């Protein structure tokens, strides 16, 4: 790693091992990524548990926010899956809060954006994919294959539609993970690139500075929006498994 | 590009699985049931309060209705009592008046009869007194007694004229 690279726009995505740990020959070092995930888990837990400490009938600010996130995800599941999806409520809630907190923690200067790594987003997306597939087969048996052959089509359409459905089903983990990873990567890289312009342009650096300020606001929107998108797509995929269409 | 450094994948994925599992357990077992309970409690409380309000309103309506009915009953009863009292008093005063009138009429009749009797008596006495006076006058004037029958005849003739 050269000196210029260390301060380049990609430097912020560097994984730093704080403590080298090896388990049975496998590298499970505690890195900056792991630290951010631990902070996110602690943050979410404090947010959801401490805010409800009062258990008041008339909620305060923090309790309102915790209840709002609860009602938000509960409503998302009710609308997209129906009552059969309530057993996935903790999972979707955890996914949403995890991604949201990781994205927002990534907005803090000098922190690290865990969701800007494809390794993390792909594992999350693949977990959703596995959950949907396994639950779908448990619930519907081989009838789950009907997902790839939607009813009510003219017969000659099936040879075309079925491969398309299968491919679109199999690429779900990829599209789900790349969407989140690419959004975070692009946004954060863009901010760093423009930050480099501020220095390089001298006095006229004011212009990219303004752009950065506006872009930071947009990045907060993207951080929340991508968490929402990830959660709602999880709901839509789970809907296939719960209510075979 | 650090994202393509495969040596970092294992530690990232390992800690992702650890932290997400911990988060899932904490959310599913601790945080979400609590929030759900509080929201449920509030929903119940609001439903109960609404029920209570409805019940109280029904009770109020009932109370108002019964109060109005009582008021109407009392009014009609009062007017009834007033009417009957008026009737009773009217009847009583009527009989009293009639009694008094009858009494007065009787008294009037009696008085008239008495007056008639007294007049008759007085008129009868007038005859005797006239006879006596005439007899005395004649005695004084003529110095002789005239037949009483003649005198009375003459007096009566004079009185009748």
């Amino acid at each position: 790693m050269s000196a210029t690279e260390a301060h380049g726009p990609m430097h912020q995505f560097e994984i730093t091992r704080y403590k080298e740990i090896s388990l049975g020959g496998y590298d499970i070092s505690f890195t900056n990524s792991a630290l951010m995930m631990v902070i996110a888990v602690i943050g979410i837990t404090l947010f959801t548990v401490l805010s409800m400490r009062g258990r008041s009938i008339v909620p305060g600010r923090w309790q309102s926010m915790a209840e709002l996130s609860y009602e938000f995800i509960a409503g998302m599941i009710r609308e997209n899956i129906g009552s059969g999806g309530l057993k996935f409520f903790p999972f979707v809630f955890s996914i949403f809060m995890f991604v949201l907190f990781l994205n927002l923690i990534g907005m803090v200067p000098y922190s690290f954006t865990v969701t800007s790594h494809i390794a993390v987003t792909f594992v999350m997306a693949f977990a959703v994919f596995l959950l949907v597939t396994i639950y779908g087969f448990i619930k519907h048996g081989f009838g789950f294959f009907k997902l790839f052959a939607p009813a009510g089509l003219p017969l000659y359409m099936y040879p075309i539609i079925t491969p398309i459905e299968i491919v679109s089903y199999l690429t779900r983990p990829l599209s789900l993970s790349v969407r989140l990873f690419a959004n975070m990567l692009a946004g954060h890289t863009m901010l760093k690139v423009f930050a480099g312009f501020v220095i390089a342009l001298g006095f006229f650096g004011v212009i990219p500075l303004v752009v950065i300020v506006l872009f930071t606001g947009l990045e907060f929107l993207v951080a929340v929006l991508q968490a929402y998108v990830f959660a709602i797509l999880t709901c839509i995929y789970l809907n296939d498994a719960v209510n075979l269409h | 590009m650090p994202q393509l450094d495969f040596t970092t994948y294992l530690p990232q994925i390992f800690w992702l699985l650890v932290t997400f599992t911990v988060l899932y357990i904490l959310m599913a077992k601790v945080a979400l049931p609590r929030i759900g309970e509080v929201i449920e409690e509030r929903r119940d409380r609001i439903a109960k309060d609404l029920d209570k309000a409805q019940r109280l309103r029904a009770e109020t309506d009932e109370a108002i209705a019964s109060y109005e009915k009582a008021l109407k009953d009392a009014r009609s009863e009062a007017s009834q009592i007033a009417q009957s009292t008026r009737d009773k008093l009217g009847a009583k005063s009527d009989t009293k008046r009639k009694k008094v009138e009858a009494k007065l009429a009787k008294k009037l009749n009696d008085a008239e009869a008495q007056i008639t009797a007294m007049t008759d008596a007085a008129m009868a006495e007038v005859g005797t007194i006239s006879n006596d006076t005439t007899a005395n006058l004649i005695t004084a004037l003529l110095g002789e007694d005239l037949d009483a029958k003649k005198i009375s005849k003459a007096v009566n003739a004079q009185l009748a004229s």
Side-chain angles (χ1 to χ4, degrees):
Chain A
M1 195 196 302
S2 71
T4 48
E5 216 178 307
H7 299 287
M10 301 307 273
H11 174 68
Q12 55 178 325
F13 303 119
E14 215 72 61
I15 299 278
T16 314
R17 287 178 174 75
Y18 292 141
K19 183 157 175 52
E20 305 265 354
I21 307 170
S22 179
L23 190 75
Y26 294 108
D27 178 20
I28 53 161
S29 302
F30 192 80
T31 60
N32 51 352
S33 167
L35 177 66
M36 294 304 154
M37 290 194 262
V38 170
I39 291 173
V41 170
I42 292 171
I44 296 165
T45 308
L46 289 181
F47 170 59
T48 51
V49 173
L50 284 191
S51 60
M52 297 306 289
R53 223 173 15 173
R55 291 171 155 270
S56 17
I57 290 295
V58 179
R61 275 179 232 169
W62 285 98
Q63 195 183 326
S64 287
M65 274 161 69
E67 286 181 16
L68 203 69
S69 12
Y70 181 100
E71 298 275 23
F72 179 62
I73 299 298
M76 192 188 279
I77 285 184
R78 259 196 305 274
E79 273 169 38
N80 290 294
I81 313 179
S83 56
L86 281 179
K87 53 173 138 335
F88 298 111
F89 175 57
F91 180 71
V92 178
F93 186 84
S94 303
I95 284 257
F96 174 72
M97 292 307 266
F98 197 55
V99 174
L100 179 69
F101 268 64
L102 289 177
N103 288 354
L104 289 177
I105 288 170
M107 291 306 294
V108 178
Y110 296 104
S111 72
F112 175 82
T113 316
V114 178
T115 45
S116 67
H117 274 259
I118 183 75
V120 170
T121 59
F122 186 79
V123 168
M124 285 198 282
F126 196 71
V128 172
F129 175 79
L130 273 185
L131 179 71
V132 169
T133 309
I134 292 170
Y135 185 77
F137 277 113
I138 288 173
K139 180 132 191 241
H140 305 287
F142 286 106
F144 189 56
F145 282 119
K146 271 188 248 160
L147 188 65
F148 306 123
L153 283 179
L155 263 182
Y156 61 87
M157 289 292 281
Y158 282 107
I160 309 163
I161 290 292
T162 309
I164 292 176
E165 288 282 339
I166 291 174
V167 169
S168 82
Y169 185 82
L170 292 179
T171 52
R172 274 175 182 181
L174 208 62
S175 64
L176 188 57
S177 57
V178 169
R179 184 180 298 109
L180 176 57
F181 141 75
N183 264 288
M184 301 321 289
L185 175 71
H188 285 255
T189 310
M190 190 92 130
L191 281 179
K192 282 285 149 66
V193 169
F194 273 87
F197 289 166
V198 176
I199 308 298
L201 288 179
F203 175 74
F204 294 103
V206 174
I207 300 160
L209 186 65
V210 171
V211 173
I212 287 179
V213 171
L214 297 176
F215 215 81
T216 306
L218 187 71
E219 272 305 292
F220 273 103
L221 178 72
V222 170
V224 177
L225 193 69
Q226 286 307 317
Y228 170 70
V229 168
F230 203 98
I232 202 155
L233 283 174
T234 302
C235 283
I236 289 169
Y237 296 160
L238 281 169
N239 180 41
D240 287 341
V242 177
N243 317 303
L244 203 53
H245 60 67
Chain B
M1 195 171 169
Q3 277 82 357
L4 298 178
D5 180 1
F6 297 109
T7 61
T8 65
Y9 278 25
L10 197 58
Q12 282 190 75
I13 292 167
F14 174 79
W15 285 101
L16 168 66
L17 295 179
V18 170
T19 50
F20 189 77
T21 307
V22 170
L23 176 68
Y24 179 81
I25 292 167
L26 282 174
M27 290 299 112
K29 301 284 171 221
V30 185
L32 293 178
R34 279 196 199 180
I35 301 178
E37 249 171 58
V38 171
I39 291 175
E40 199 66 30
E41 207 174 292
R42 176 175 317 128
R43 213 169 277 155
D44 284 358
R45 174 85 168 269
I46 289 171
K48 229 191 314 186
D49 283 2
L50 279 178
D51 271 7
K52 199 173 168 193
Q54 201 112 36
R55 216 180 50 234
L56 286 178
R57 208 176 66 177
E59 269 171 31
T60 311
D61 285 351
E62 218 170 280
I64 288 174
S66 74
Y67 164 75
E68 264 166 12
K69 193 173 168 290
L71 202 64
K72 217 169 84 182
D73 285 356
R75 263 205 203 113
S76 73
E77 207 176 324
S79 74
Q80 216 175 328
I81 288 172
Q83 190 59 46
S84 74
T85 310
R86 215 176 296 131
D87 287 354
K88 223 181 342 192
L89 285 177
K92 220 178 197 173
S93 71
D94 254 15
T95 51
K96 217 173 199 172
R97 188 161 48 83
K98 268 183 194 144
K99 228 191 221 159
V100 170
E101 272 174 3
K103 224 182 210 167
L104 283 176
K106 194 166 165 261
K107 257 185 190 163
L108 208 62
N109 281 344
D110 286 357
E112 269 173 6
Q114 210 174 347
I115 289 166
T116 319
M118 277 166 88
T119 316
D120 286 355
M123 288 308 277
E125 239 162 83
V126 167
T128 349
I129 292 166
S130 304
N131 286 351
D132 286 357
T133 314
T134 313
N136 285 343
L137 278 174
I138 289 170
T139 314
L141 287 173
L142 303 177
E144 60 179 302
D145 291 329
L146 280 177
D147 186 20
K149 268 186 185 161
K150 269 183 184 166
I151 293 167
S152 115
K153 208 174 169 185
V155 166
N156 279 344
Q158 281 299 313
L159 283 171
S161 65

